[in-house]
C-alpha cells in the first residue's frame, strides 16, 4: 500500500514552529506535539526547555509558576485568599491547575503556616490553609472565618437559651378577680420554679417531676393531682415543650445545632461576608464543611456554660 512521505526539512519546520509558539505563549498542549508524530511530548519539550514545567496535559513556562507562587505568598502574608485562575493559561485542564499549584512552595507550606490569630474553631487549634480548584485559602483567612462562625454559633445558642428560659404566657397573672390564688404558687413563683428546670433542656419529656401537671390554669390544684402528674410520664410534645408554645422549643441542642449550623447555612454566612467567593464554585461550601465541627463545638459549649452558670447562681441564691 501507499504511504505519506513528509520531507525531513518540513517536519523540522513544524517542530520549530511549535517551539516558537511555546516561547511566545509560554504554554503548549501535548496534543499539538503528538500530532507531529512525537510520542513523548513532555520529554521532547523538557529536553528543549529544561527550566520549564511539564504538567499532566500541557507544558508551561517557569514564570507562570513564579507569578502564581508570589501571589499565594502575598495572600498568606495578608491572611487572605486568592483565585489564581485569571493568572493561569486558559488552556490548562483542571488536573494541570491542581498539579501546578501543588508544586508551588507557598502552597506546600499551607498546612504548616501559622495563622495570624489562634483559630477559635476546630478545638482551639490553628487551622490550615487549603487549595480549592484554582483558589488558595491561607491559614490566616481560615482562622478569621472560623472566628466569625464561632460567633454565629454562640448567638444561635443564646437565642435557643432565651427561648427556653423565656416566661410562658401562662405566667401572666390571670387569676379571676375575687378568687384565691394557689398558695405559694403565684404566676411569678411558677416562672421562677420553671427557670430552675433549665438544666433539663435536651432531656426530652422526662424533665423535672410534676411539670406535666401544670398548665398555667388559675384555679387550685389538689395535692393528689400533683402526685399523679409526678408519677405519670409526660407524653411526647406535652409538659414544658407544649407549655412554652410547642415541642420544637424543647428540641435537644444537638438537633437545633444540626439545623441552624448545617453546612449550607454556614456557607450562606460565608458568602455574605465574602461575596467574591461566589466566583469560585463550591469554595464557600468547602470552607463551611471544614469549619462546621468547630461551630458545633462552640454551640454546645455556649449552651453548657449557660446552664452551669445558671445552676451556680441558683445554688448561691438558696
Amino acid at each position: 500500500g501507499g504511504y505519506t512521505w513528509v520531507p525531513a526539512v518540513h517536519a523540522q519546520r513544524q517542530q520549530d514552529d511549535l517551539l516558537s509558539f511555546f516561547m511566545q505563549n509560554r504554554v503548549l498542549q501535548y496534543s499539538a506535539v503528538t500530532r507531529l508524530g512525537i510520542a513523548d511530548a513532555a520529554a521532547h519539550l523538557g529536553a528543549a526547555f529544561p527550566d520549564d514545567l511539564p504538567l499532566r496535559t500541557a507544558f508551561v513556562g517557569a514564570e507562570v509558576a513564579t507569578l502564581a507562587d508570589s501571589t499565594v505568598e502575598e495572600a498568606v502574608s495578608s491572611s487572605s485568599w486568592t483565585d489564581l485562575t485569571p493568572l493561569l493559561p486558559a488552556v490548562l485542564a483542571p488536573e494541570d491547575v491542581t498539579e501546578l499549584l501543588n508544586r508551588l512552595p507557598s502552597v506546600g507550606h499551607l498546612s504548616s503556616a501559622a495563622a495570624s490569630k489562634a483559630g477559635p474553631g476546630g478545638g482551639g487549634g490553628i487551622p490550615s490553609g487549603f487549595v480549592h480548584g484554582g483558589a488558595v485559602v491561607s491559614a490566616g483567612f481560615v482562622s478569621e472565618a472560623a472566628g466569625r462562625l464561632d460567633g454565629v454559633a454562640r448567638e444561635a445558642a443564646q437565642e435557643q437559651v432565651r427561648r427556653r428560659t423565656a416566661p410562658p404566657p401562662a405566667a401572666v397573672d390571670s387569676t379571676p378577680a375575687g378568687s384565691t390564688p394557689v398558695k405559694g404558687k403565684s404566676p411569678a413563683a411558677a416562672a421562677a420554679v420553671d427557670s430552675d428546670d433549665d438544666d433539663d433542656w435536651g432531656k426530652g419529656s422526662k424533665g423535672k417531676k410534676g411539670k406535666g401537671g401544670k398548665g398555667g390554669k388559675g384555679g387550685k390544684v389538689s395535692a393528689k393531682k400533683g402526685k399523679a402528674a409526678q408519677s405519670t410520664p409526660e407524653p411526647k410534645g406535652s409538659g414544658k415543650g407544649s407549655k412554652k408554645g410547642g415541642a420544637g422549643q424543647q428540641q435537644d441542642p444537638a438537633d437545633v445545632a444540626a439545623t441552624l449550623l448545617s453546612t449550607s447555612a454556614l456557607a450562606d454566612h460565608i458568602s455574605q461576608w465574602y461575596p467574591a467567593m461566589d466566583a469560585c464554585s463550591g469554595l464557600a461550601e468547602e470552607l463551611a464543611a471544614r469549619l462546621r465541627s468547630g461551630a458545633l463545638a462552640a454551640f454546645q459549649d455556649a449552651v453548657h456554660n449557660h446552664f452551669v452558670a445558671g445552676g451556680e447562681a441558683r445554688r448561691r441564691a438558696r
Side-chain angles (χ1 to χ4, degrees), residues 26 51-53 55 60-75 82 84 87-89 92 99-107:
R26 307 304 291 157
D51 295 331
D52 295 315
L53 303 175
L55 300 177
V60 298
E63 66 275 9
V64 174
T66 301
L67 177 60
D69 193 52
S70 62
T71 303
V72 174
E73 286 285 6
E74 182 179 351
T82 184
L84 297 174
L87 303 179
L88 303 178
L92 293 184
E99 184 176 356
L100 175 61
L101 296 189
N102 287 335
R103 289 187 179 191
L104 302 181
S106 55
V107 171

Side-chain angles (χ1 to χ4, degrees), residues 218-230:
K220 294 184 178 180
V221 180
S222 68
K224 186 175 181 180
K225 289 185 177 180
K227 292 181 179 178
Q230 294 177 21

Side-chain angles (χ1 to χ4, degrees), residues 73-81 114-117 138-142 144:
E73 286 285 6
E74 182 179 351
V76 170
S77 64
S78 61
S79 296
S80 183
W81 71 281
S116 59
K117 300 177 182 178
S138 71
F141 184 85
V142 174
E144 176 188 319

Side-chain angles (χ1 to χ4, degrees), residues 6-14:
V6 179
V9 64
H10 180 66
Q12 186 61 47
R13 177 61 184 272
Q14 288 180 315

Side-chain angles (χ1 to χ4, degrees), residues 177-198:
S179 63
T180 304
V182 179
K183 183 178 181 180
K185 295 294 182 181
S186 65
V193 171
D194 180 64
S195 67
D196 191 45
D197 191 44
D198 291 341

Side-chain angles (χ1 to χ4, degrees), residues 75-168:
V76 170
S77 64
S78 61
S79 296
S80 183
W81 71 281
T82 184
D83 181 12
L84 297 174
T85 304
L87 303 179
L88 303 178
V91 298
L92 293 184
E95 55 266 34
D96 292 323
V97 173
T98 300
E99 184 176 356
L100 175 61
L101 296 189
N102 287 335
R103 289 187 179 191
L104 302 181
S106 55
V107 171
H109 297 155
L110 280 179
S111 58
S112 59
S116 59
K117 300 177 182 178
I126 298 178
S128 63
F130 64 94
V131 175
H132 176 87
V136 179
V137 184
S138 71
F141 184 85
V142 174
S143 179
E144 176 188 319
R148 300 185 77 167
L149 292 181
D150 180 276
V152 169
R154 293 185 181 279
E155 288 177 3
Q158 290 170 5
E159 174 62 17
Q160 292 304 309
V161 168
R162 185 194 65 79
R163 293 183 180 182
R164 177 66 179 83
T165 58

Side-chain angles (χ1 to χ4, degrees), residues 239-254:
K240 293 181 69 62
S242 58
K243 180 177 68 176
K244 294 184 183 295
Q249 295 182 3
Q250 197 182 340
Q251 285 182 285
D252 187 278

